[in-house]
């Protein structure tokens, strides 16, 4: 057949050709078809192959007009004339014009209305005719409604007996509301000869047409019922797998007839070439070819086709080939680090050492660096600087809140929507196997019922194992040994021991005020000017204003809040610039209260350390160091000891030890032993809503108690830290660097530290060392000698209560 029904391929514009003149409005373009009848309201595909049909379809598409579809009386006639066509046909709208890869042409047409040919006008290059549209009767009587319901029930019964009926067809039959439309819809899809369909098309009377369709359906129902009974009696049904194979073979044959199979073949060919070019290892390439073979034997409509295709796309997209090692310029790396970060000399030196080793031994196993420190000190940006210095791609993987092991190793392909884990996804995003991967917030991973992701990270961060890292989705090993892993963390306590053991910890402490000032001048002010759309010539921020913001409006280890406050001040003056009332603004100390409000923080040291019983301690927090006040007072009582301030067990024990030590040395300290029997001592640590724990406040508590009971005031310029023993020894504590920086930031000038913490002196920033006097304590006697003001006649007899 040259002209017959079929499915189309990809839609294309109708090619140029045909006649140059337009068809007059009173004429209809005729499209002759063989063995095919289209009914009004029905959408059908039509294949056109003869030149007269192609010319007619192209002219109709070009002019945006419908065509009149007439069936040939004799399908064997190759060039039909007017005498070879029926006189009754259907006016059809061309919904799509499709050109298949093999050059054949296809139409998707929707029947609109019956017509009758009054006169054929011409036959070359295509047939046109003057026609009369046949109007459908909309009469509704009880007889017609009864026949309509009967016909609808018959059609529904036939569709239920037929196998593999499209749901859309069933819905169309059930949703039909016109007797004429229902008769045409059923006639279009009935398994009868084209001549019988032409006879139904030419039956204009609705009742007569419904009767004919009903008779044909009644015969079809009987045949289907008998066929079903025979099938059940013989039990010769195919199993599900055979049936699927048969249907797929039929679908493949249909696609081949329509020229659609070439697209699938081209896709398989492209995948095969991509696998060859990907540079996969032999075992991975073998797995990819095996999956490609399965894909070749499948139809695109198969349930596993998309899963296998996605898997192959992941294998192909991963960077299996190792790029050429880029030369490392140590001098350029040092310049980049100095350009991006101020201070941090030891950190920069360690990074330079790391880069030097990578340059000398590019194939060696690189250590896993972990930057640990409070928020806002530049841990993530250090990783970006390392990537710049190495000339490699940078990718960040956020591990905060990850509690599923599959987010590291991926899901198995048996699950719907499975994907590789974050590590492999990051590698694909970077597009190279020697990227710099930042594992951000590695201390904030948690475990749940889905597994422990920190356990999965053990293989990733072990240079001896990550050369054969196996993602559950890929199912093949992937070499991670050339990836430069850099982790960041705020607290090391929450990182499991085996995982922490695989990383080299590099601690970043908080910045001093002078360092913050330099960072603000070099980076923060410029960045906030750009972010708020003003230039350096329009807004100027004085150094004194920056110092005031650092001391009075922020209290942090990093510089995030400092940058926010600078941005808030700049935004305030940017309003005037945007309104045109201000051309140049200078932000100074005097105007800060207008821009930022009253100071948030004040110097509490001089205020609180003004009476006996108050000592200044040093504390470590996850966001850096801080000063801590220990307040003691006594009231008439029976020797009780009260502790408040939400203290942990260890800190309570330190207070008990300090009290016992004071009692044991009462005579040496000049305290009347009878005083303990008639007074209650109350020790309080302010900021009562904040939990506090640890042994490092022992020296401060002992000093506060001695100050209270002797009436000697603690020096207000001095802070202290250290654990005490009942023998009076001062034991070492941790976090010395952060605590000393906090003391310098608070405006103190002296710090008393355990003598056994001298090893931490080199870690203290030079700026803090220059601003502070250090007193090293061997015993508590050293603390009393250096912390308390000299006794005066007024303090020889301490009052009953030292109020604070």
């Amino acid at each position: 057949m040259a002209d017959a029904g079929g499915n189309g391929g990809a839609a294309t514009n109708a090619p140029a050709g045909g006649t140059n003149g337009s068809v007059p409005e009173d004429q209809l373009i005729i499209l002759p078809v063989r063995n095919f009848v289209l009914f009004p309201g029905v959408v059908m595909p039509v294949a056109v192959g003869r030149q007269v049909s192609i010319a007619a379809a192209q002219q109709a598409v070009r002019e945006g007009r419908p065509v009149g579809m007439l069936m040939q009386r004799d399908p064997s006639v190759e060039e039909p004339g007017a005498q070879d066509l029926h006189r009754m046909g259907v006016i059809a709208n061309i919904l799509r014009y499709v050109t298949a890869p093999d050059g054949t042409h296809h139409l998707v047409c929707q029947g609109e209305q019956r017509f009758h040919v009054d006169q054929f006008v011409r036959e070359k290059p295509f047939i046109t005719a003057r026609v009369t549209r046949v109007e459908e009767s909309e009469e509704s009587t009880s007889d017609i409604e009864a026949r309509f319901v009967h016909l609808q029930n018959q059609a529904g019964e036939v569709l239920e007996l037929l196998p593999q009926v499209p749901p859309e067809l069933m819905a169309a039959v059930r949703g039909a509301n016109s007797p004429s439309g229902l008769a045409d819809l059923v006639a279009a899809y009935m398994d009868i000869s084209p001549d019988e369909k032409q006879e139904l098309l030419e039956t204009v009377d609705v009742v007569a047409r419904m009767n004919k369709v009903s008779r044909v359906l009644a015969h079809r129902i009987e045949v289907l019922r008998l066929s079903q009974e025979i099938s059940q009696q013989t039990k010769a049904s195919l199993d599900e797998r055979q049936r699927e194979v048969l249907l797929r073979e039929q679908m493949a044959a249909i696609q081949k007839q329509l020229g659609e199979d070439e697209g699938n073949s081209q896709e398989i060919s492209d995948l095969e070439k991509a696998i060859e070019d990907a540079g996969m290892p032999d075992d991975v390439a073998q797995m990819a070819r095996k999956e490609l073979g399965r894909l070749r034997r499948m139809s695109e409509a198969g349930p596993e086709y998309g899963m296998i295709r996605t898997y192959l796309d992941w294998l192909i997209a991963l960077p299996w080939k190792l790029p050429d090692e880029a030369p490392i310029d140590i001098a350029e790396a040092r310049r980049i680090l100095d350009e991006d970060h101020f201070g941090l000399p030891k950190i920069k030196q360690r990074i330079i050492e790391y880069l030097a080793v990578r340059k000398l031994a590019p194939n060696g196993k690189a250590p896993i660096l972990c930057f640990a420190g409070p928020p806002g000190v530049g841990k993530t940006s250090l990783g970006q600087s390392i990537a710049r210095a190495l000339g490699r791609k940078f990718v960040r993987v956020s591990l905060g809140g990850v509690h599923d092991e599959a987010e590291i190793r991926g899901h198995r392909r048996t699950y719907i929507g499975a994907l590789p884990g974050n590590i492999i996804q990051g590698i694909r995003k970077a597009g190279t196997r020697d990227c710099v991967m930042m594992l951000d917030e590695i201390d904030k991973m948690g475990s749940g019922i889905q597994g422990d992701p920190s356990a999965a990270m053990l293989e990733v961060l072990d240079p001896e194992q990550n050369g054969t890292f196996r993602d559950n989705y890929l199912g093949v090993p992937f070499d991670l040994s050339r990836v430069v892993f850099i982790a960041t963390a705020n607290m090391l306590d929450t990182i499991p021991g085996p995982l922490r053991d695989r990383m080299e910890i590099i601690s970043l402490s908080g910045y001093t005020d002078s360092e913050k000032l330099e960072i603000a001048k070099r980076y923060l002010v410029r960045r906030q000017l750009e972010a708020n759309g003003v230039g350096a010539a329009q807004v100027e921020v004085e150094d004194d204003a920056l110092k005031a913001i650092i001391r009075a409006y922020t209290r942090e280890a990093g510089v995030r809040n400092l940058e926010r406050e600078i941005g808030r001040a700049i935004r305030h003056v940017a309003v005037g610039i945007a309104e045109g009332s201000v051309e140049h603004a200078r932000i100074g100390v005097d105007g800060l209260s207008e821009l930022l409000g009253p100071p948030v923080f004040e110097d509490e040291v001089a205020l609180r350390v003004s009476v006996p019983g108050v000592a200044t301690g040093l504390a470590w927090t996850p966001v850096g160091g801080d000063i801590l006040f220990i307040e003691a007072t006594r009231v008439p009582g029976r020797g009780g000891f009260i502790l408040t301030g939400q203290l942990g067990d260890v800190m309570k024990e330190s207070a008990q030890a300090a009290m016992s030590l004071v009692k044991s040395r009462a005579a040496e300290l000049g305290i009347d032993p009878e005083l303990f029997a008639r007074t209650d001592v109350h020790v309080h640590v302010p900021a009562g809503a904040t939990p506090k724990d640890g042994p490092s406040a022992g020296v401060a508590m002992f000093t506060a108690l001695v100050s209270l009971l002797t009436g000697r005031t603690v020096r207000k310029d001095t802070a202290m830290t250290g654990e005490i023993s009942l023998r009076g020894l001062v034991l070492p504590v941790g976090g010395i660097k952060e605590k000393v920086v906090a003391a310098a930031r608070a405006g103190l000038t002296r710090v008393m530290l355990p003598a056994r913490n001298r090893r931490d002196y080199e870690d203290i920033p030079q700026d803090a060392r220059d601003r502070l006097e250090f007193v090293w304590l061997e015993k508590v006697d050293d603390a009393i000698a250096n912390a308390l003001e000299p006794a005066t006649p007024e303090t020889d007899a301490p009052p009953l209560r030292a109020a604070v």
Side-chain angles (χ1 to χ4, degrees):
M1 293 189 302
D3 297 329
N7 293 325
T12 62
N13 294 326
T19 182
N20 295 326
S22 300
V23 178
E25 293 295 332
D26 63 338
Q27 298 179 25
L28 182 66
I29 300 173
I30 302 300
L31 183 65
V33 295
R34 294 185 287 193
N35 297 322
F36 175 74
V37 178
L38 182 67
F39 286 85
V42 178
V43 178
M44 286 284 186
V46 182
V48 292
R50 296 176 293 188
Q51 289 302 319
V52 62
S53 301
I54 295 174
Q58 292 177 354
Q59 187 68 20
V61 171
R62 189 178 300 109
E63 296 187 18
R65 294 178 54 178
V67 295
M69 303 191 70
L70 291 177
M71 190 176 75
Q72 294 180 208
R73 300 181 187 275
D74 183 2
S76 63
V77 177
E78 286 296 328
E79 297 183 1
Q83 70 282 357
D84 299 316
L85 303 175
H86 288 278
R87 291 300 186 269
M88 180 71 78
V90 171
I91 297 174
N93 292 318
I94 300 177
L95 302 181
R96 296 179 70 192
Y97 187 103
V98 179
T99 301
D102 60 356
T104 59
H105 302 265
H106 304 270
L107 306 177
V108 178
C109 300
Q110 181 179 24
E112 181 183 344
Q113 188 179 12
R114 288 176 170 81
F115 73 90
H116 185 273
V117 176
D118 296 332
Q119 177 187 2
F120 287 100
V121 179
R122 66 178 184 185
E123 297 185 4
K124 297 295 182 181
F126 48 80
I127 302 173
T128 63
R130 293 187 178 89
V131 302
T132 299
R133 292 175 177 258
V134 178
E135 300 295 334
E136 297 285 351
S137 174
E138 298 296 336
E139 181 183 4
S140 178
T141 64
S142 300
D143 182 53
I144 292 177
E145 290 183 5
R147 295 176 188 277
F148 171 74
V149 173
H150 177 65
L151 181 60
Q152 198 171 33
N153 292 335
Q154 282 185 305
E157 188 175 356
V158 170
L159 294 177
E160 289 177 356
L161 291 172
L162 287 172
Q164 302 294 320
V165 175
E168 295 81 5
L169 181 57
M170 180 72 77
V173 170
R174 296 186 186 278
N177 52 16
S178 167
S180 174
L182 177 63
D184 289 340
L185 177 64
V186 175
Y189 288 101
M190 280 197 307
D191 187 16
I192 57 178
S193 67
D195 291 333
E196 291 176 302
K197 290 188 177 183
Q198 181 66 31
E199 181 184 352
L200 291 173
L201 181 68
E202 294 178 358
T203 304
V204 179
D205 183 69
V206 177
V207 175
R209 195 188 324 154
M210 294 175 72
N211 287 339
K212 290 181 180 180
V213 173
S214 181
R215 283 195 296 271
V216 175
L217 282 181
H219 174 72
R220 184 65 175 162
I221 289 172
E222 291 301 323
V223 172
L224 288 173
R225 285 175 178 172
L226 181 60
S227 174
Q228 193 176 56
E229 291 176 4
I230 295 173
S231 176
Q232 291 176 352
Q233 290 172 0
T234 59
K235 296 182 180 180
S237 60
L238 298 173
D239 62 19
E240 186 66 24
R241 184 62 180 171
Q242 291 173 319
R243 180 169 167 272
E244 184 179 348
V245 171
L246 178 61
L247 290 175
R248 296 204 184 285
E249 289 178 355
Q250 293 176 349
M251 185 180 295
I254 294 172
Q255 290 177 338
K256 185 174 182 180
Q257 290 293 328
L258 296 176
E260 293 183 347
D261 62 331
E262 294 185 5
N264 190 27
S265 300
Q266 182 62 37
E267 182 181 17
I268 297 296
S269 177
D270 292 343
L271 286 173
E272 191 170 12
K273 185 177 185 302
I275 291 173
E276 294 297 328
D277 296 341
M280 303 177 184
D282 293 340
D283 54 342
V284 180
Q286 184 178 357
M287 171 67 78
R289 294 190 191 98
K290 178 182 176 182
E291 295 297 326
L292 183 63
R294 292 180 59 198
L295 193 71
R296 184 182 283 113
R297 295 189 295 271
M298 285 185 178
S299 168
E300 290 187 14
E304 294 185 13
Y305 186 91
M307 295 172 58
I308 297 177
R309 175 60 199 269
T310 304
Y311 176 71
L312 289 175
D313 286 342
W314 271 100
L315 286 183
I316 293 169
L318 287 175
W320 300 96
K321 295 179 180 178
L322 189 64
D324 296 335
E325 186 74 22
I328 299 176
D329 188 341
I330 301 298
E332 176 66 12
R334 185 177 282 108
R335 186 194 67 79
I336 290 173
L337 291 174
D338 290 337
E339 178 184 329
D340 292 348
H341 300 274
F342 175 79
L344 308 176
K346 292 190 176 181
I347 309 300
K348 292 179 181 178
Q349 181 60 32
R350 180 62 188 89
I351 294 174
I352 293 298
E353 293 171 0
Y354 172 81
L355 298 179
V357 173
R358 294 293 294 180
K359 179 177 182 178
L360 298 176
N363 296 323
K365 291 180 171 58
I368 312 297
L369 301 181
C370 177
F371 296 140
V377 295
K379 299 185 294 296
T380 303
S381 57
L382 274 173
Q384 295 172 337
S385 299
I386 292 175
R388 282 185 58 199
L390 284 169
R392 299 187 182 185
K393 294 290 185 66
F394 176 82
V395 61
R396 175 180 169 272
V397 176
S398 178
L399 299 179
V402 172
H403 60 275
D404 188 352
E405 178 261 349
E407 294 193 45
I408 305 299
R409 288 189 176 276
H411 297 82
R412 299 191 183 278
R413 283 190 290 148
T414 52
Y415 298 103
I416 296 176
L419 283 174
N422 289 335
I423 304 299
I424 295 297
Q425 290 187 39
I427 296 291
R428 179 178 178 178
K429 180 181 178 182
T432 176
R433 195 153 59 87
D434 63 348
C435 62
V436 176
M437 181 173 290
M438 173 69 75
L439 303 174
D440 218 3
E441 310 293 354
I442 197 171
D443 59 323
K444 295 177 178 60
M445 288 190 298
S447 59
I449 59 174
Q450 297 90 353
D452 186 358
S454 61
M457 291 297 297
L458 293 176
E459 181 183 6
V460 176
L461 298 183
D462 191 341
E464 300 295 334
Q465 301 180 33
N466 61 14
T468 56
F469 174 72
R470 182 177 292 269
D471 188 275
N472 290 331
Y473 180 83
L474 298 182
V476 293
F478 189 88
D479 186 4
L480 299 178
S481 61
R482 302 305 295 275
V483 179
V484 179
F485 288 106
I486 298 174
T488 69
N490 296 129
M491 299 180 64
L492 298 177
D493 297 342
T494 57
I495 303 177
L499 183 60
R500 188 166 64 246
D501 183 62
R502 281 165 167 76
M503 301 184 292
E504 179 181 342
I505 307 299
I506 299 179
S507 297
L508 283 78
S509 61
Y511 295 113
T512 62
D513 289 354
S514 60
E515 289 175 333
K516 289 182 180 180
L517 177 62
E518 289 298 325
I519 292 172
K521 290 165 58 178
R522 298 188 186 193
Y523 309 105
L524 305 185
V525 173
R526 183 179 70 247
R527 197 155 60 199
Q528 285 301 313
L529 289 175
E530 295 174 357
N532 292 288
V534 294
Q538 295 173 298
V539 178
E540 181 181 350
V541 184
E542 296 180 353
D543 291 356
D544 291 340
L546 293 176
K547 293 178 183 178
I549 294 175
I550 293 170
R551 293 176 181 173
Y553 292 90
T554 62
R555 184 162 291 178
E556 57 178 342
V559 291
R560 283 210 181 106
N561 286 327
L562 174 60
E563 184 174 3
R564 292 190 188 102
E565 294 299 321
I566 293 172
R568 190 151 69 97
I570 292 175
R571 284 195 301 273
H572 191 91
V573 300
V575 174
I577 295 175
E579 292 175 343
S581 59
V582 178
E583 294 184 0
H584 180 270
R586 180 187 296 272
I587 299 176
V589 178
D590 298 336
L592 279 184
S593 57
E594 279 186 38
L595 302 178
L596 304 179
V600 179
F601 301 100
E602 59 183 6
D603 186 6
E604 298 177 338
V605 177
L607 176 65
R608 294 202 176 190
V609 184
S610 58
V611 294
V614 180
T616 305
L618 296 174
W620 180 91
T621 70
V623 294
D626 200 0
I627 61 173
L628 190 72
F629 293 100
I630 308 295
E631 299 179 347
T633 186
R634 58 192 180 91
V635 295
R638 298 181 178 179
F641 188 52
I642 306 168
L643 296 173
T644 57
Q646 200 168 347
L647 309 182
D649 292 339
V650 176
M651 200 166 184
K652 289 179 180 178
E653 292 170 359
S654 292
Q656 294 284 357
M659 190 63 183
S660 298
L661 188 58
V662 171
K663 289 180 179 180
S664 67
R665 299 194 172 199
E668 299 176 20
L669 298 171
I671 301 172
D672 182 6
E674 297 296 327
L675 189 64
F676 298 106
R678 62 177 186 268
T679 59
D680 291 343
V681 176
H682 184 175
V683 175
H684 176 68
V685 183
T690 304
K692 297 169 276 292
D693 202 2
S696 60
V699 170
M701 287 185 172
F702 177 80
T703 304
L705 290 172
V706 173
S707 170
L708 170 69
L709 297 173
T710 62
R712 296 170 62 187
T713 305
V714 180
R715 291 183 56 167
K716 63 182 180 181
D717 62 349
T718 302
M720 61 203 75
T721 185
E723 182 182 0
I724 61 173
S725 71
L726 292 179
R727 294 178 294 161
L729 300 178
V730 178
L731 306 179
V733 293
I736 293 296
K737 180 179 178 182
E738 291 81 1
K739 293 175 180 179
V740 171
V741 169
R745 185 170 61 241
L748 298 167
T749 58
R750 293 172 81 240
V751 289
M752 299 196 306
L753 307 175
R756 291 166 64 181
N757 277 115
R758 285 180 184 271
R759 61 178 182 268
D760 300 312
Y761 182 76
E762 293 298 326
D763 295 333
I764 299 172
Q766 186 62 45
D767 177 69
R769 284 192 256 170
D770 295 340
R771 293 166 57 183
L772 294 172
E773 175 188 351
F774 291 86
V775 178
W776 302 101
L777 308 177
E778 293 280 355
K779 299 180 180 181
V780 292
D781 301 330
D782 301 333
I784 299 303
N786 289 277
L788 298 183
E789 297 285 358
T792 62
E794 291 78 8
T795 61
D796 289 340
L800 182 62
R801 178 179 180 182
V804 296

